[in-house]
Amino acid sequence: MLGRDHALSGAVAFAALAPVLHVRVAYLAAGVVLTAGAGVLPDIDHPDSTISRSFGFLTEWFAWVVDRLSGGHRHGTHSLVGITVFTAAAYGAGLYQLSEPKPVAAGHLVFSWHIAPAALILALLYSAALRALHIGGHFGDLLGIAAALVTCFTSADLTQLPVGSWHVPLLGTAVALGCAAHIAGDELTHGGCPLFWPASMHEFHLLPRPLQITTAKFCETSIIFPLLLVGLAVAVWHATGHPVSIPQPAK
């Protein structure tokens, strides 16, 4: 799938689950955008992907390393192992951020190195989301960095969301949902994803072969993309407290 549609699928997943996760409206936008960024995160295994170009040679070099470690595009990062590693990294960054109380000087927050890992992940996700959705133009990366700093200093990324019997920080939840949405999207295509890499390279699909789509062709651009846009609008409308009902035919 195209990066744009991967980002939208991540945003839809978070917005749709926001009422179940009891996401406050104040944090909804951050969660939607972060999950959109995480929706393209598995493609960090490809040096020419949207997310790999986010910060120039730095992310391109990192993508090259991931490509070698994961066995190439649509291998390790497109598996259950990939989701686990990405989510664990986000969760660990949050724990490190929490490991030192926020220093306060004259009533104002000051910098602490403990926010650095989370800030880097946040900046990458925000920037990737803006790039994938073609928002912000040349200033998209600067907007991503600014949003990351605001998110860190307000601790919005550490907001605890109920996931079953656990409470998971917003950042970790967004990364897990975005990566899962990405893999589900790729499983709609002819390529599929090796969910159980490295134990098995069997590629899983969500659709039978006759219904599998080809990236950037008619089905994705003219059917899936509009459906994702409508789905996001409806999900955000519902997540902000507005009821969604299907009109009943007149008797």
Side-chain angles (χ1 to χ4, degrees), residues 118-151:
L120 287 173
I121 295 173
L122 288 165
L124 178 64
L125 296 183
Y126 277 129
S127 176
L130 294 174
R131 278 178 173 268
L133 299 173
H134 306 290
I135 299 173
H138 296 298
F139 299 100
D141 292 343
L142 293 178
L143 290 174
I145 293 171
L149 292 176
V150 171
T151 304

PDB file of all heavy atoms in Angstrom, residues 118-151:
ATOM      1  N   ALA A 118      12.276   9.477  23.908  1.00  0.00           N
ATOM      2  CA  ALA A 118      10.868   9.644  23.547  1.00  0.00           C
ATOM      3  C   ALA A 118      10.706  10.773  22.532  1.00  0.00           C
ATOM      4  O   ALA A 118       9.914  10.659  21.587  1.00  0.00           O
ATOM      5  CB  ALA A 118      10.034   9.932  24.798  1.00  0.00           C
ATOM      6  N   ALA A 119      11.455  11.857  22.720  1.00  0.00           N
ATOM      7  CA  ALA A 119      11.360  12.988  21.791  1.00  0.00           C
ATOM      8  C   ALA A 119      11.787  12.579  20.389  1.00  0.00           C
ATOM      9  O   ALA A 119      11.179  13.008  19.395  1.00  0.00           O
ATOM     10  CB  ALA A 119      12.206  14.157  22.292  1.00  0.00           C
ATOM     11  N   LEU A 120      12.824  11.760  20.267  1.00  0.00           N
ATOM     12  CA  LEU A 120      13.282  11.304  18.953  1.00  0.00           C
ATOM     13  C   LEU A 120      12.215  10.450  18.267  1.00  0.00           C
ATOM     14  O   LEU A 120      11.939  10.613  17.070  1.00  0.00           O
ATOM     15  CB  LEU A 120      14.581  10.511  19.100  1.00  0.00           C
ATOM     16  CG  LEU A 120      15.839  11.313  19.422  1.00  0.00           C
ATOM     17  CD1 LEU A 120      17.014  10.382  19.713  1.00  0.00           C
ATOM     18  CD2 LEU A 120      16.180  12.249  18.267  1.00  0.00           C
ATOM     19  N   ILE A 121      11.622   9.533  19.032  1.00  0.00           N
ATOM     20  CA  ILE A 121      10.579   8.678  18.460  1.00  0.00           C
ATOM     21  C   ILE A 121       9.365   9.506  18.060  1.00  0.00           C
ATOM     22  O   ILE A 121       8.804   9.345  16.973  1.00  0.00           O
ATOM     23  CB  ILE A 121      10.177   7.575  19.455  1.00  0.00           C
ATOM     24  CG1 ILE A 121      11.352   6.621  19.694  1.00  0.00           C
ATOM     25  CG2 ILE A 121       8.960   6.797  18.949  1.00  0.00           C
ATOM     26  CD1 ILE A 121      11.105   5.591  20.779  1.00  0.00           C
ATOM     27  N   LEU A 122       8.976  10.431  18.925  1.00  0.00           N
ATOM     28  CA  LEU A 122       7.829  11.284  18.632  1.00  0.00           C
ATOM     29  C   LEU A 122       8.070  12.134  17.392  1.00  0.00           C
ATOM     30  O   LEU A 122       7.196  12.269  16.528  1.00  0.00           O
ATOM     31  CB  LEU A 122       7.531  12.186  19.831  1.00  0.00           C
ATOM     32  CG  LEU A 122       6.920  11.497  21.055  1.00  0.00           C
ATOM     33  CD1 LEU A 122       7.022  12.402  22.276  1.00  0.00           C
ATOM     34  CD2 LEU A 122       5.464  11.129  20.794  1.00  0.00           C
ATOM     35  N   ALA A 123       9.267  12.734  17.306  1.00  0.00           N
ATOM     36  CA  ALA A 123       9.587  13.571  16.151  1.00  0.00           C
ATOM     37  C   ALA A 123       9.549  12.756  14.865  1.00  0.00           C
ATOM     38  O   ALA A 123       9.047  13.218  13.831  1.00  0.00           O
ATOM     39  CB  ALA A 123      10.958  14.212  16.334  1.00  0.00           C
ATOM     40  N   LEU A 124      10.068  11.529  14.919  1.00  0.00           N
ATOM     41  CA  LEU A 124      10.065  10.666  13.744  1.00  0.00           C
ATOM     42  C   LEU A 124       8.634  10.339  13.319  1.00  0.00           C
ATOM     43  O   LEU A 124       8.291  10.409  12.128  1.00  0.00           O
ATOM     44  CB  LEU A 124      10.830   9.378  14.041  1.00  0.00           C
ATOM     45  CG  LEU A 124      10.871   8.338  12.909  1.00  0.00           C
ATOM     46  CD1 LEU A 124      11.615   8.903  11.699  1.00  0.00           C
ATOM     47  CD2 LEU A 124      11.534   7.053  13.391  1.00  0.00           C
ATOM     48  N   LEU A 125       7.774  10.008  14.285  1.00  0.00           N
ATOM     49  CA  LEU A 125       6.398   9.639  13.961  1.00  0.00           C
ATOM     50  C   LEU A 125       5.602  10.830  13.453  1.00  0.00           C
ATOM     51  O   LEU A 125       4.855  10.723  12.471  1.00  0.00           O
ATOM     52  CB  LEU A 125       5.715   9.017  15.181  1.00  0.00           C
ATOM     53  CG  LEU A 125       6.301   7.699  15.697  1.00  0.00           C
ATOM     54  CD1 LEU A 125       5.483   7.174  16.863  1.00  0.00           C
ATOM     55  CD2 LEU A 125       6.359   6.660  14.583  1.00  0.00           C
ATOM     56  N   TYR A 126       5.739  11.966  14.128  1.00  0.00           N
ATOM     57  CA  TYR A 126       5.019  13.161  13.669  1.00  0.00           C
ATOM     58  C   TYR A 126       5.460  13.547  12.261  1.00  0.00           C
ATOM     59  O   TYR A 126       4.635  13.827  11.386  1.00  0.00           O
ATOM     60  CB  TYR A 126       5.281  14.331  14.621  1.00  0.00           C
ATOM     61  CG  TYR A 126       4.417  14.372  15.856  1.00  0.00           C
ATOM     62  CD1 TYR A 126       4.993  14.505  17.120  1.00  0.00           C
ATOM     63  CD2 TYR A 126       3.029  14.292  15.768  1.00  0.00           C
ATOM     64  CE1 TYR A 126       4.209  14.565  18.269  1.00  0.00           C
ATOM     65  CE2 TYR A 126       2.234  14.337  16.909  1.00  0.00           C
ATOM     66  CZ  TYR A 126       2.834  14.479  18.158  1.00  0.00           C
ATOM     67  OH  TYR A 126       2.049  14.533  19.281  1.00  0.00           O
ATOM     68  N   SER A 127       6.759  13.573  12.040  1.00  0.00           N
ATOM     69  CA  SER A 127       7.281  13.961  10.727  1.00  0.00           C
ATOM     70  C   SER A 127       6.841  12.983   9.652  1.00  0.00           C
ATOM     71  O   SER A 127       6.428  13.390   8.551  1.00  0.00           O
ATOM     72  CB  SER A 127       8.812  14.030  10.775  1.00  0.00           C
ATOM     73  OG  SER A 127       9.340  14.312   9.499  1.00  0.00           O
ATOM     74  N   ALA A 128       6.897  11.695   9.957  1.00  0.00           N
ATOM     75  CA  ALA A 128       6.493  10.678   8.983  1.00  0.00           C
ATOM     76  C   ALA A 128       5.020  10.811   8.628  1.00  0.00           C
ATOM     77  O   ALA A 128       4.626  10.666   7.464  1.00  0.00           O
ATOM     78  CB  ALA A 128       6.786   9.286   9.530  1.00  0.00           C
ATOM     79  N   ALA A 129       4.188  11.077   9.646  1.00  0.00           N
ATOM     80  CA  ALA A 129       2.754  11.241   9.388  1.00  0.00           C
ATOM     81  C   ALA A 129       2.502  12.431   8.477  1.00  0.00           C
ATOM     82  O   ALA A 129       1.728  12.347   7.513  1.00  0.00           O
ATOM     83  CB  ALA A 129       2.005  11.420  10.711  1.00  0.00           C
ATOM     84  N   LEU A 130       3.153  13.565   8.762  1.00  0.00           N
ATOM     85  CA  LEU A 130       2.956  14.766   7.952  1.00  0.00           C
ATOM     86  C   LEU A 130       3.445  14.556   6.523  1.00  0.00           C
ATOM     87  O   LEU A 130       2.809  15.000   5.562  1.00  0.00           O
ATOM     88  CB  LEU A 130       3.676  15.948   8.595  1.00  0.00           C
ATOM     89  CG  LEU A 130       3.121  16.392   9.959  1.00  0.00           C
ATOM     90  CD1 LEU A 130       3.999  17.483  10.564  1.00  0.00           C
ATOM     91  CD2 LEU A 130       1.687  16.882   9.833  1.00  0.00           C
ATOM     92  N   ARG A 131       4.575  13.871   6.377  1.00  0.00           N
ATOM     93  CA  ARG A 131       5.100  13.592   5.035  1.00  0.00           C
ATOM     94  C   ARG A 131       4.167  12.661   4.267  1.00  0.00           C
ATOM     95  O   ARG A 131       3.863  12.887   3.092  1.00  0.00           O
ATOM     96  CB  ARG A 131       6.490  12.955   5.127  1.00  0.00           C
ATOM     97  CG  ARG A 131       7.625  13.944   5.324  1.00  0.00           C
ATOM     98  CD  ARG A 131       8.939  13.218   5.464  1.00  0.00           C
ATOM     99  NE  ARG A 131      10.053  14.168   5.492  1.00  0.00           N
ATOM    100  CZ  ARG A 131      10.733  14.554   4.426  1.00  0.00           C
ATOM    101  NH1 ARG A 131      10.424  14.067   3.239  1.00  0.00           N
ATOM    102  NH2 ARG A 131      11.722  15.418   4.525  1.00  0.00           N
ATOM    103  N   ALA A 132       3.721  11.604   4.922  1.00  0.00           N
ATOM    104  CA  ALA A 132       2.873  10.623   4.247  1.00  0.00           C
ATOM    105  C   ALA A 132       1.557  11.241   3.799  1.00  0.00           C
ATOM    106  O   ALA A 132       1.021  10.887   2.746  1.00  0.00           O
ATOM    107  CB  ALA A 132       2.610   9.434   5.164  1.00  0.00           C
ATOM    108  N   LEU A 133       1.041  12.176   4.594  1.00  0.00           N
ATOM    109  CA  LEU A 133      -0.238  12.815   4.290  1.00  0.00           C
ATOM    110  C   LEU A 133      -0.065  14.120   3.516  1.00  0.00           C
ATOM    111  O   LEU A 133      -1.038  14.833   3.280  1.00  0.00           O
ATOM    112  CB  LEU A 133      -1.017  13.066   5.583  1.00  0.00           C
ATOM    113  CG  LEU A 133      -1.365  11.809   6.383  1.00  0.00           C
ATOM    114  CD1 LEU A 133      -1.990  12.175   7.724  1.00  0.00           C
ATOM    115  CD2 LEU A 133      -2.313  10.914   5.584  1.00  0.00           C
ATOM    116  N   HIS A 134       1.172  14.419   3.156  1.00  0.00           N
ATOM    117  CA  HIS A 134       1.486  15.621   2.369  1.00  0.00           C
ATOM    118  C   HIS A 134       1.011  16.897   3.054  1.00  0.00           C
ATOM    119  O   HIS A 134       0.386  17.764   2.433  1.00  0.00           O
ATOM    120  CB  HIS A 134       0.876  15.504   0.961  1.00  0.00           C
ATOM    121  CG  HIS A 134       1.271  14.258   0.232  1.00  0.00           C
ATOM    122  ND1 HIS A 134       2.554  14.033  -0.234  1.00  0.00           N
ATOM    123  CD2 HIS A 134       0.557  13.141  -0.082  1.00  0.00           C
ATOM    124  CE1 HIS A 134       2.610  12.845  -0.831  1.00  0.00           C
ATOM    125  NE2 HIS A 134       1.419  12.281  -0.734  1.00  0.00           N
ATOM    126  N   ILE A 135       1.308  16.993   4.342  1.00  0.00           N
ATOM    127  CA  ILE A 135       0.943  18.161   5.136  1.00  0.00           C
ATOM    128  C   ILE A 135       2.211  18.853   5.622  1.00  0.00           C
ATOM    129  O   ILE A 135       3.132  18.213   6.114  1.00  0.00           O
ATOM    130  CB  ILE A 135       0.091  17.755   6.361  1.00  0.00           C
ATOM    131  CG1 ILE A 135      -1.216  17.092   5.901  1.00  0.00           C
ATOM    132  CG2 ILE A 135      -0.204  18.945   7.249  1.00  0.00           C
ATOM    133  CD1 ILE A 135      -2.035  16.514   7.028  1.00  0.00           C
ATOM    134  N   GLY A 136       2.257  20.158   5.494  1.00  0.00           N
ATOM    135  CA  GLY A 136       3.380  20.911   6.038  1.00  0.00           C
ATOM    136  C   GLY A 136       4.481  21.227   5.064  1.00  0.00           C
ATOM    137  O   GLY A 136       5.320  22.100   5.326  1.00  0.00           O
ATOM    138  N   GLY A 137       4.518  20.522   3.948  1.00  0.00           N
ATOM    139  CA  GLY A 137       5.547  20.800   2.942  1.00  0.00           C
ATOM    140  C   GLY A 137       6.946  20.698   3.513  1.00  0.00           C
ATOM    141  O   GLY A 137       7.272  19.785   4.279  1.00  0.00           O
ATOM    142  N   HIS A 138       7.823  21.676   3.153  1.00  0.00           N
ATOM    143  CA  HIS A 138       9.208  21.663   3.608  1.00  0.00           C
ATOM    144  C   HIS A 138       9.320  21.917   5.111  1.00  0.00           C
ATOM    145  O   HIS A 138      10.368  21.663   5.704  1.00  0.00           O
ATOM    146  CB  HIS A 138      10.014  22.724   2.858  1.00  0.00           C
ATOM    147  CG  HIS A 138      10.111  22.465   1.382  1.00  0.00           C
ATOM    148  ND1 HIS A 138      10.713  21.336   0.863  1.00  0.00           N
ATOM    149  CD2 HIS A 138       9.665  23.175   0.314  1.00  0.00           C
ATOM    150  CE1 HIS A 138      10.652  21.366  -0.455  1.00  0.00           C
ATOM    151  NE2 HIS A 138      10.016  22.460  -0.818  1.00  0.00           N
ATOM    152  N   PHE A 139       8.265  22.431   5.724  1.00  0.00           N
ATOM    153  CA  PHE A 139       8.309  22.721   7.154  1.00  0.00           C
ATOM    154  C   PHE A 139       7.735  21.578   7.988  1.00  0.00           C
ATOM    155  O   PHE A 139       7.631  21.696   9.198  1.00  0.00           O
ATOM    156  CB  PHE A 139       7.533  24.011   7.453  1.00  0.00           C
ATOM    157  CG  PHE A 139       8.082  25.221   6.750  1.00  0.00           C
ATOM    158  CD1 PHE A 139       7.484  25.699   5.596  1.00  0.00           C
ATOM    159  CD2 PHE A 139       9.220  25.854   7.228  1.00  0.00           C
ATOM    160  CE1 PHE A 139       7.992  26.809   4.940  1.00  0.00           C
ATOM    161  CE2 PHE A 139       9.740  26.961   6.576  1.00  0.00           C
ATOM    162  CZ  PHE A 139       9.125  27.443   5.429  1.00  0.00           C
ATOM    163  N   GLY A 140       7.357  20.485   7.318  1.00  0.00           N
ATOM    164  CA  GLY A 140       6.755  19.365   8.030  1.00  0.00           C
ATOM    165  C   GLY A 140       7.646  18.791   9.116  1.00  0.00           C
ATOM    166  O   GLY A 140       7.180  18.486  10.217  1.00  0.00           O
ATOM    167  N   ASP A 141       8.949  18.666   8.818  1.00  0.00           N
ATOM    168  CA  ASP A 141       9.865  18.105   9.816  1.00  0.00           C
ATOM    169  C   ASP A 141      10.003  19.032  11.017  1.00  0.00           C
ATOM    170  O   ASP A 141      10.076  18.572  12.167  1.00  0.00           O
ATOM    171  CB  ASP A 141      11.235  17.853   9.185  1.00  0.00           C
ATOM    172  CG  ASP A 141      11.198  16.738   8.150  1.00  0.00           C
ATOM    173  OD1 ASP A 141      10.226  15.960   8.152  1.00  0.00           O
ATOM    174  OD2 ASP A 141      12.130  16.651   7.333  1.00  0.00           O
ATOM    175  N   LEU A 142      10.036  20.344  10.758  1.00  0.00           N
ATOM    176  CA  LEU A 142      10.112  21.301  11.869  1.00  0.00           C
ATOM    177  C   LEU A 142       8.850  21.239  12.720  1.00  0.00           C
ATOM    178  O   LEU A 142       8.913  21.307  13.953  1.00  0.00           O
ATOM    179  CB  LEU A 142      10.315  22.721  11.333  1.00  0.00           C
ATOM    180  CG  LEU A 142      11.661  22.993  10.645  1.00  0.00           C
ATOM    181  CD1 LEU A 142      11.701  24.426  10.117  1.00  0.00           C
ATOM    182  CD2 LEU A 142      12.813  22.755  11.622  1.00  0.00           C
ATOM    183  N   LEU A 143       7.703  21.106  12.056  1.00  0.00           N
ATOM    184  CA  LEU A 143       6.452  20.960  12.796  1.00  0.00           C
ATOM    185  C   LEU A 143       6.471  19.686  13.631  1.00  0.00           C
ATOM    186  O   LEU A 143       5.991  19.662  14.768  1.00  0.00           O
ATOM    187  CB  LEU A 143       5.270  20.923  11.819  1.00  0.00           C
ATOM    188  CG  LEU A 143       4.921  22.224  11.099  1.00  0.00           C
ATOM    189  CD1 LEU A 143       3.834  21.976  10.056  1.00  0.00           C
ATOM    190  CD2 LEU A 143       4.471  23.280  12.087  1.00  0.00           C
ATOM    191  N   GLY A 144       7.037  18.607  13.061  1.00  0.00           N
ATOM    192  CA  GLY A 144       7.129  17.345  13.786  1.00  0.00           C
ATOM    193  C   GLY A 144       7.993  17.464  15.028  1.00  0.00           C
ATOM    194  O   GLY A 144       7.647  16.941  16.097  1.00  0.00           O
ATOM    195  N   ILE A 145       9.126  18.152  14.893  1.00  0.00           N
ATOM    196  CA  ILE A 145      10.027  18.336  16.039  1.00  0.00           C
ATOM    197  C   ILE A 145       9.351  19.181  17.114  1.00  0.00           C
ATOM    198  O   ILE A 145       9.417  18.867  18.311  1.00  0.00           O
ATOM    199  CB  ILE A 145      11.346  18.986  15.581  1.00  0.00           C
ATOM    200  CG1 ILE A 145      12.118  18.009  14.677  1.00  0.00           C
ATOM    201  CG2 ILE A 145      12.192  19.386  16.783  1.00  0.00           C
ATOM    202  CD1 ILE A 145      13.322  18.629  14.004  1.00  0.00           C
ATOM    203  N   ALA A 146       8.697  20.255  16.694  1.00  0.00           N
ATOM    204  CA  ALA A 146       8.008  21.121  17.654  1.00  0.00           C
ATOM    205  C   ALA A 146       6.904  20.361  18.378  1.00  0.00           C
ATOM    206  O   ALA A 146       6.762  20.464  19.609  1.00  0.00           O
ATOM    207  CB  ALA A 146       7.436  22.340  16.939  1.00  0.00           C
ATOM    208  N   ALA A 147       6.126  19.580  17.630  1.00  0.00           N
ATOM    209  CA  ALA A 147       5.050  18.804  18.241  1.00  0.00           C
ATOM    210  C   ALA A 147       5.611  17.775  19.215  1.00  0.00           C
ATOM    211  O   ALA A 147       5.021  17.518  20.277  1.00  0.00           O
ATOM    212  CB  ALA A 147       4.226  18.110  17.157  1.00  0.00           C
ATOM    213  N   ALA A 148       6.760  17.177  18.871  1.00  0.00           N
ATOM    214  CA  ALA A 148       7.380  16.184  19.751  1.00  0.00           C
ATOM    215  C   ALA A 148       7.788  16.811  21.081  1.00  0.00           C
ATOM    216  O   ALA A 148       7.583  16.228  22.156  1.00  0.00           O
ATOM    217  CB  ALA A 148       8.591  15.566  19.060  1.00  0.00           C
ATOM    218  N   LEU A 149       8.374  18.005  21.027  1.00  0.00           N
ATOM    219  CA  LEU A 149       8.806  18.679  22.258  1.00  0.00           C
ATOM    220  C   LEU A 149       7.610  19.054  23.130  1.00  0.00           C
ATOM    221  O   LEU A 149       7.633  18.863  24.352  1.00  0.00           O
ATOM    222  CB  LEU A 149       9.622  19.920  21.910  1.00  0.00           C
ATOM    223  CG  LEU A 149      10.986  19.652  21.258  1.00  0.00           C
ATOM    224  CD1 LEU A 149      11.660  20.962  20.856  1.00  0.00           C
ATOM    225  CD2 LEU A 149      11.889  18.847  22.196  1.00  0.00           C
ATOM    226  N   VAL A 150       6.561  19.565  22.503  1.00  0.00           N
ATOM    227  CA  VAL A 150       5.354  19.914  23.263  1.00  0.00           C
ATOM    228  C   VAL A 150       4.754  18.670  23.905  1.00  0.00           C
ATOM    229  O   VAL A 150       4.378  18.678  25.086  1.00  0.00           O
ATOM    230  CB  VAL A 150       4.312  20.592  22.343  1.00  0.00           C
ATOM    231  CG1 VAL A 150       2.979  20.750  23.071  1.00  0.00           C
ATOM    232  CG2 VAL A 150       4.827  21.949  21.875  1.00  0.00           C
ATOM    233  N   THR A 151       4.706  17.583  23.149  1.00  0.00           N
ATOM    234  CA  THR A 151       4.145  16.331  23.668  1.00  0.00           C
ATOM    235  C   THR A 151       4.947  15.813  24.854  1.00  0.00           C
ATOM    236  O   THR A 151       4.381  15.361  25.858  1.00  0.00           O
ATOM    237  CB  THR A 151       4.099  15.258  22.566  1.00  0.00           C
ATOM    238  OG1 THR A 151       3.349  15.749  21.447  1.00  0.00           O
ATOM    239  CG2 THR A 151       3.452  13.979  23.075  1.00  0.00           C
TER     240      THR A 151
END
